[in-house]
Amino acid sequence: MEKKNSVFIETYGCQMNLADTEVVLGILRENGYTVAPSLQEADVVLMNTCSIRENAEERIYGRLGNMKTLKQSKPGLVVGVLGCMAERLRKDLMEEKKVVDLVVGPDEYRRIPEFIGLAIAGEKGIGVKLSKTETYDDIIPYREDGLSAYISVMRGCDKFCTFCVVPFTRGRERSRSLSSIVAEVRLLSERGFREVTLLGQNVNSYLDGEYDFADLLAAVAEVDRKIRVRFTTSHPQDMSEKLLYTIAAHQNLCKYIHLPVQSGSNRILDLMNRTYTVEHYLDLMEKARRIIPGVSFSTDIISGFPGETWEDHLATLDVMNKVRYDGAYMFKYSPREGTKAFRMVDDVAEEVKSKRLQEIISQQQRISAEINETLVGKLEVLLIEGASRKSEDFLAGRTDSNKIVIIPRKDEIGEGDYVEVKIKKGTSATLFGDFVKMVDKRITPVRSEAV
Ligand code: 5AD
Ligand code: SF4
């Protein structure tokens, strides 16, 4: 039989899926597979999918239609579904969607080579068991060379927010070992990477023996001072003071915290099972600003949760005004089967959800533009990522707070360099700056006046 060994993976959804795709490619390469340069050239196409909202799933169903067409022109092509949809819709995918040859959930990726083998032999491969222990700790993810890498440090979620499908698709929380994460960062440092983002659904619950997430961050920060360290996602209930002091103490830990608030109303937060109040959340932010001068925040917000009144919506707008986030990911509530909220009445009309979401988005755009304006005249340190998208005469880099800044190109500045710039103009999306000096080691910019 002809050997079918080139694989292409399409990744949808969150950063965790991007990290998982690299783990899957690591496993497949260990088993003699190669990475195909494009979908058209692949013998095996895998889709790493997301179930977080209905529109994410609809998009993937649409894409499966394209795969059917591709399969007609290329008989023998193996098509697989990985990730959260595989876990949630295994039966539907296998029985209804004839195009799918294998369905593999997030904890069974080690068995993918076996399932591909089955598919080639004309059988269906299915693996959707969740595990209490699988962390893929020993797998070396396959990564192209680059500046920035995602590293998954824990899997699963035990929070059970009532709207969220993740505890059902990704199972219980478990952490990787600190030593394997540090070893991975060391390898990335040797390859010239300049940024790592530590990932988990709820990184504050990280635990490896006596080491907590603050210990992990400190250990990662010490590997290479030229590597800038980000992390996501934090939960307001578990964010410790120790973690805040750790962020403050290390120059290369980004002074930037993604801390989803979800809603500004205590009544809705309770219905969401978020386990904190707005007052606790605002206190935490104040504490963070005191301990980490110049820290900035981003958030997630859901609009139109069951029972959300106009007053609840105003409370969300109010909390945004109080915090003044640098950025926000804003969503319309989407009922997910199996969650607790699915059994609540989805009583906010679609037009009302859309209108509220639009108000939230407009308010955030205004706040982002105002924050960016306050940065004019200030110094920022950028990690240069390369030419700007619009012109080779300009370079683009990112600040600690993940903002893109465009500066005129200079011969001495290369990709992966840290430079200090003075901001001269800001819009809601982009900042423009002038080169000030090269920065040998990371220096934390002073932004306290900007807050
Ligand atoms: N509907 C809308 N948004 C959701 N999120 C999670 N579940 C849902 C849902 N059912 C959002 C939350 C979470 C982010 C990753 O996705 O804001 O923080
Ligand atoms: Fe979902 Fe809540 Fe867990 Fe985040 S913390 S993954 S929103 S259940």
Side-chain angles (χ1 to χ4, degrees):
M1 202 195 310
E2 184 199 351
K3 203 160 184 299
K4 290 187 173 174
N5 64 358
S6 83
V7 183
F8 189 82
I9 308 188
E10 279 186 356
T11 308
Y12 298 85
C14 63
Q15 295 160 335
M16 195 63 120
N17 269 8
L18 289 172
D20 276 1
T21 288
E22 293 174 343
V23 167
V24 172
L25 289 174
I27 293 170
L28 285 168
R29 278 168 52 97
E30 279 284 296
N31 285 272
Y33 288 84
T34 57
V35 181
S38 73
L39 178 71
Q40 283 67 29
E41 290 158 83
D43 304 313
V44 179
V45 178
L46 303 173
M47 295 161 68
N48 195 358
T49 62
C50 169
S51 287
I52 197 99
R53 282 168 291 275
E54 198 177 342
N55 54 11
E57 290 190 346
E58 278 163 3
R59 192 166 152 223
I60 289 155
Y61 273 125
R63 191 72 183 129
L64 280 176
N66 301 145
M67 295 296 170
K68 203 168 162 186
T69 319
L70 188 66
K71 220 171 171 170
Q72 278 155 3
S73 65
K74 201 173 168 182
L77 177 75
V78 172
V79 175
V81 175
L82 316 179
C84 288
M85 263 175 95
E87 200 59 50
R88 207 178 86 72
L89 298 166
R90 46 190 108 162
K91 195 158 162 274
D92 180 49
L93 286 168
M94 267 308 183
E95 288 168 11
E96 309 289 325
K97 304 284 162 205
K98 301 270 180 283
V99 61
V100 179
D101 302 302
L102 58 139
V103 170
V104 190
D107 287 346
E108 295 246 59
Y109 292 154
R110 286 180 201 269
R111 295 180 66 199
I112 291 182
E114 176 194 329
F115 294 133
I116 294 177
L118 278 176
I120 292 170
E123 286 175 50
K124 299 244 169 185
I126 177 158
V128 288
K129 267 207 225 89
L130 288 171
S131 154
K132 288 200 174 72
T133 53
E134 179 64 273
T135 58
Y136 303 110
D137 217 21
D138 55 317
I139 305 285
I140 300 175
Y142 170 77
R143 293 191 180 95
E144 305 274 339
D145 283 333
L147 284 184
S148 185
Y150 293 118
I151 302 183
S152 136
V153 301
M154 59 178 301
R155 304 181 71 82
C157 183
D158 288 351
K159 287 284 181 213
F160 288 94
C161 299
T162 57
F163 50 79
C164 186
V165 78
V166 165
F168 306 97
T169 59
R170 288 187 165 268
R172 298 288 64 75
E173 277 173 7
R174 65 223 103 114
S175 302
R176 276 180 64 183
S177 67
L178 181 139
S179 57
S180 79
I181 297 164
V182 166
E184 197 171 326
V185 177
R186 210 168 276 134
L187 280 178
L188 291 168
S189 158
E190 281 159 16
R191 286 176 62 188
F193 278 77
R194 284 283 191 269
E195 183 176 80
V196 296
T197 305
L198 307 186
L199 297 176
Q201 304 297 337
N202 177 17
V203 286
N204 309 108
S205 303
Y206 176 89
L207 204 60
D208 171 23
E210 63 197 33
Y211 299 124
D212 63 12
F213 187 62
D215 298 323
L216 175 70
L217 266 186
V220 167
E222 277 159 20
V223 171
D224 178 350
R225 291 291 172 196
K226 280 197 160 174
I227 289 192
R228 166 191 265 190
V229 184
R230 301 182 181 282
F231 60 95
T232 197
T233 297
S234 300
H235 191 291
Q237 189 202 352
D238 308 321
M239 186 121 197
S240 67
E241 258 185 44
K242 176 178 169 191
L243 178 63
L244 299 175
Y245 281 109
T246 305
I247 298 170
H250 294 266
Q251 285 183 341
N252 54 334
L253 291 183
C254 284
K255 311 290 175 265
Y256 180 70
I257 305 174
H258 181 64
L259 198 62
V261 67
Q262 312 295 3
S263 166
S265 151
N266 282 337
R267 198 177 65 80
I268 296 295
L269 287 175
D270 191 41
L271 288 171
M272 288 176 161
N273 188 33
R274 287 291 290 178
T275 67
Y276 55 85
T277 59
V278 174
E279 292 72 26
H280 168 87
Y281 183 90
L282 292 173
D283 272 358
L284 180 62
M285 297 230 139
E286 216 181 283
K287 206 188 287 175
R289 285 190 161 135
R290 207 174 52 240
I291 296 174
I292 316 167
V295 65
S296 49
F297 297 101
S298 61
T299 199
D300 292 347
I301 293 174
I302 296 179
S303 152
F305 186 80
E308 186 188 76
T309 62
W310 178 245
E311 285 71 31
D312 295 323
H313 169 62
L314 291 182
T316 298
L317 291 173
D318 186 52
V319 96
M320 293 170 74
N321 265 332
K322 285 192 172 121
V323 176
R324 296 180 65 76
Y325 295 103
D326 271 50
Y329 301 89
M330 301 156 282
F331 313 104
K332 249 192 264 183
Y333 169 67
S334 167
R336 306 279 64 209
E337 206 177 338
T339 61
K340 234 176 166 178
F342 191 75
R343 299 199 295 273
M344 300 176 191
V345 187
D346 183 19
D347 56 358
V348 181
E350 191 53 32
E351 328 71 271
V352 177
K353 273 187 199 167
S354 299
K355 189 163 167 284
R356 288 180 188 171
L357 180 64
Q358 200 43 57
E359 281 180 22
I360 288 171
I361 293 172
S362 305
Q363 170 156 295
Q364 183 54 43
Q365 277 171 347
R366 176 177 57 73
I367 293 171
S368 297
E370 285 169 7
I371 292 179
N372 283 354
E373 251 166 59
T374 64
L375 294 180
V376 173
K378 301 259 155 43
L379 298 175
E380 289 276 348
V381 173
L382 307 183
L383 171 60
I384 298 296
E385 294 182 351
S388 92
R389 256 190 298 155
K390 294 204 177 128
S391 159
E392 285 289 324
D393 297 336
F394 291 85
L395 293 169
R398 260 174 224 270
T399 65
D400 251 30
S401 56
N402 224 0
K403 291 179 196 293
I404 295 179
V405 183
I406 309 292
I407 59 168
R409 182 184 282 281
K410 262 186 179 306
D411 286 345
E412 72 251 48
I413 313 176
E415 211 176 282
D417 282 341
Y418 288 104
V419 298
E420 188 176 270
V421 301
K422 189 169 190 178
I423 306 297
K424 62 174 182 200
K425 197 173 115 198
T427 66
S428 73
T430 317
L431 293 161
F432 298 87
D434 283 324
F435 172 78
V436 176
K437 63 174 195 267
M438 302 298 288
V439 178
D440 218 11
K441 265 182 156 186
R442 281 277 290 125
I443 316 178
T444 305
V446 180
R447 263 197 61 191
S448 41
E449 312 96 295
V451 181

